[in-house]
Amino acid sequence: MKTLLNLSLLILLLPSYLSAQRSLDLGVFLGVSSYLGDFAPDIPALRQVHEAIGISGRYFFQPKLSVKVQGIYSHLSGDDADTRNASRGWQFRSPIIEGMAQIEIHPFAHARRNYGFLDHKQFTSYFFTGVGFVYSNPTITKPDAPVAKSTDAPTGRVMITLPIGAGLRYEYGKRMLFTGELGIRTPLTDHLDGASLTPNHINHDWYLLGGVTIAYLLFAEN
């Protein structure tokens, strides 16, 4: 009976616990993207790293749990010259538009306070995962030919993508929030680059996104 009473009390108190220290922020993302796939080596080539820009909105249910939605625009590119397929001589480039909803876990976060400029409690690591979509429209070219068409991949596709990654959050004063993060995405397809070199398409293309978000808290509970 006592156990049941304690469980009931916990269920009743849970909503108030989750609502503690709620906050909402809007931010601007500035970062870089890089592609991993048939046109890329195991370690991304520096010349295939591209600028990325986006906007985000984040809602904290409490200091250790938040949900973020974001939209990001960037480019991906790759070159056979960087891979074991150098003799083929293909290159690709594609704009990407990403929309994402992700859950962030901040396991070591503290309640928000106006700490000093470099108080250790202002720095918090976090982890995230989620689901979203990415639009790509790859163009495959060859230096000595106008365009090399992919044999079986349509262009201009919207694909489901799954992110996973980690970041570091820094709180400044009562209204500013800075985060730096790095995440990897898989669109669950081998046609992100417009071509597939793998039988049965069992190997998916990937891409990396990393950068800094500067956010302003629209409201934050004390």
Side-chain angles (χ1 to χ4, degrees), residues 35-37 40-45 82-84:
Y35 155 86
L36 299 171
D42 294 334
I43 300 176
D82 297 322
T83 74
R84 62 182 180 276

Side-chain angles (χ1 to χ4, degrees), residues 26-37:
L26 294 179
V28 176
F29 172 86
L30 300 172
V32 295
S33 66
S34 185
Y35 155 86
L36 299 171

Side-chain angles (χ1 to χ4, degrees), residues 58 60 62-66 104-113 115 118-128 166-172 177-181:
R58 179 191 289 109
F60 279 93
Q62 48 110 337
K64 297 181 186 295
L65 178 64
S66 62
E104 299 176 335
I105 307 297
H106 309 251
F108 310 110
H110 302 271
R112 290 185 58 84
R113 292 184 177 87
Y115 296 113
L118 289 177
D119 191 292
H120 72 281
K121 292 184 178 180
Q122 289 177 280
F123 293 90
T124 306
S125 59
Y126 65 94
F127 310 92
F128 64 85
L168 183 66
R169 149 186 160 201
Y170 170 71
E171 298 176 3
Y172 178 71
L177 184 65
F178 300 86
T179 58
E181 67 180 40

Side-chain angles (χ1 to χ4, degrees), residues 49-67:
V49 175
H50 301 282
E51 302 86 353
I53 187 170
I55 57 174
S56 68
R58 179 191 289 109
Y59 182 81
F60 279 93
F61 295 96
Q62 48 110 337
K64 297 181 186 295
L65 178 64
S66 62
V67 173

